[in-house]
Amino acid sequence: MTSLVDSHAHLDMEDFDEDRSQVVERAFEQGIKAILCPIEITNPQSIEKTLTLIEKFRGLIAAAGAHPHQAKSFSPECTRKIKELAEAKKIKAIGEIGLDFYYNLSTPPEQEDAFRHQLSIAQELGLPVIVHSRNSGKKLVLAVEEEHFSRGGVLHCFTEDWEVAKQMMNRNFFISFSGILTFPKAQLLREVAKKIPLEKLLVETDSPYLVPVPFRGLKKRNEPAYVVEVAKVLAEIKDISLEELSEVTSRNFGSLFSFEIKNLR
Ligand SMILES: [Zn+2]
Ligand SMILES: [Zn+2]
């Protein structure tokens, strides 16, 4: 059985309210060994649901941060909560944080402020970051540079170009691919993926979003068990076996989040 990790799944979302534990059990049956769940720090329910879930399954780890969409709600209270979770060793990373100039649900200045502030918290706490970027690659690299952020992390659900990937890898970042990699129209993305060294790669579902091919159109909701479909495509692109891809991405996950991968249950 393949041994895989899902580096990004929003299991706190309402989509999973009915069957959250079964979804995790199903991932376990498929050989998934670990799942990272980002807490949305501006949302008390997200904090509560995620903490309950990670208590229950030892293969689950959490991160916490304000998503760029929520940047307008980022406050000193959020900073306090993030630090409290870090202190209690409930989180292994700060995120997801970043910039999204496609949706602009918070204004670009609000996003930049929240992003830079959270980079500085991560640097202070010595934790890696989980970064979201959409149509914002250049600004993202600039912020990491100007904040002297050296701890590194992961650029999740990668959709930017090779230049951005290169710049971020130079700054200690891993690159994580989602179901987008399986979409027929994502040829350019697959070409970028081919160039990324194995030791910098991660895979994720970004559940409940981005259902991968072949489930696309058939399933309403993505879930961690489907990460294998992303891994299959990435293995093919890198011209290695699924086993090797699984092993290397699991190892990368363990080293980035200082987490020993055993079993999810
Ligand atoms: Zn994201
Ligand atoms: Zn996400």
Side-chain angles (χ1 to χ4, degrees):
M1 201 198 299
T2 47
S3 147
L4 264 172
V5 298
D6 181 354
S7 77
H8 197 103
H10 296 276
L11 298 182
D12 59 328
M13 299 202 70
E14 272 176 28
D15 306 65
F16 297 109
D17 279 355
E18 298 296 314
D19 61 350
R20 195 162 278 118
S21 291
Q22 286 102 297
V23 165
V24 176
E25 291 284 352
R26 200 146 56 223
F28 178 75
E29 303 300 336
Q30 294 294 314
I32 312 299
K33 300 282 194 229
I35 304 171
L36 183 135
C37 305
I39 290 171
E40 177 50 58
I41 202 69
T42 61
N43 176 354
Q45 285 195 341
S46 168
I47 303 174
E48 198 187 301
K49 286 182 198 174
T50 309
L51 291 182
T52 306
L53 199 65
I54 64 167
E55 291 291 319
K56 195 165 167 187
F57 297 96
R58 66 178 183 179
L60 262 55
I61 59 174
H67 190 282
H69 293 345
Q70 315 298 335
K72 56 177 175 291
S73 309
F74 186 74
S75 65
E77 177 63 7
C78 296
T79 303
R80 195 190 60 75
K81 283 188 192 153
I82 290 172
K83 288 186 171 171
E84 193 180 284
L85 289 168
E87 186 108 328
K89 303 252 182 287
K90 300 286 187 195
I91 55 171
K92 300 256 182 207
I94 304 300
E96 65 181 286
I97 61 176
L99 303 171
D100 191 318
F101 296 162
Y102 179 78
Y103 286 107
N104 277 327
L105 297 186
S106 293
T107 66
E110 285 167 339
Q111 294 186 42
E112 284 239 20
D113 276 0
F115 179 45
R116 286 174 182 249
H117 194 85
Q118 293 178 96
L119 282 178
S120 73
I121 298 171
Q123 186 76 10
E124 183 189 329
L125 297 172
L127 288 175
V129 291
I130 296 160
V131 171
H132 170 111
S133 174
R134 186 128 186 232
N135 292 5
S136 57
K138 281 202 180 77
K139 288 271 186 186
L140 191 84
V141 172
L142 192 68
V144 170
E145 180 83 40
E146 288 181 353
E147 297 301 318
H148 305 289
F149 181 72
S150 59
R151 178 62 181 80
V154 54
L155 188 49
H156 106 94
C157 192
F158 185 79
T159 54
E160 301 283 356
D161 60 15
W162 168 242
E163 195 53 36
V164 172
K166 209 168 57 179
Q167 298 279 348
M168 294 299 274
M169 287 190 289
N170 286 341
R171 285 162 182 80
N172 224 0
F173 274 76
F174 290 78
I175 307 293
S176 182
F177 287 94
S178 69
I180 295 176
L181 198 68
T182 70
F183 298 175
K185 60 174 189 208
Q187 192 49 37
L188 283 176
L189 190 64
R190 287 188 284 273
E191 282 164 26
V192 176
K194 194 167 181 59
K195 294 199 250 182
I196 305 207
L198 287 179
E199 61 273 17
K200 286 291 186 188
L201 285 174
L202 288 170
V203 286
E204 67 177 90
T205 55
D206 205 8
S207 299
Y209 313 109
L210 302 171
V211 177
V213 174
F215 301 120
R216 197 147 186 82
L218 300 174
K219 307 274 184 186
K220 271 206 308 236
R221 176 186 79 172
N222 199 0
E223 61 175 73
Y226 304 158
V227 73
V228 65
E229 303 303 330
V230 181
K232 279 182 197 164
V233 170
L234 192 54
E236 201 174 296
I237 293 169
K238 299 299 290 178
D239 200 18
I240 59 174
S241 67
L242 177 59
E243 284 66 31
E244 194 184 341
L245 192 276
S246 304
E247 196 184 305
V248 72
T249 50
S250 296
R251 201 184 319 129
N252 292 346
F253 181 94
S255 79
L256 173 59
F257 298 115
S258 313
F259 180 69
E260 196 191 339
I261 293 165
K262 288 178 191 148
N263 279 311
L264 188 52
R265 195 136 39 193

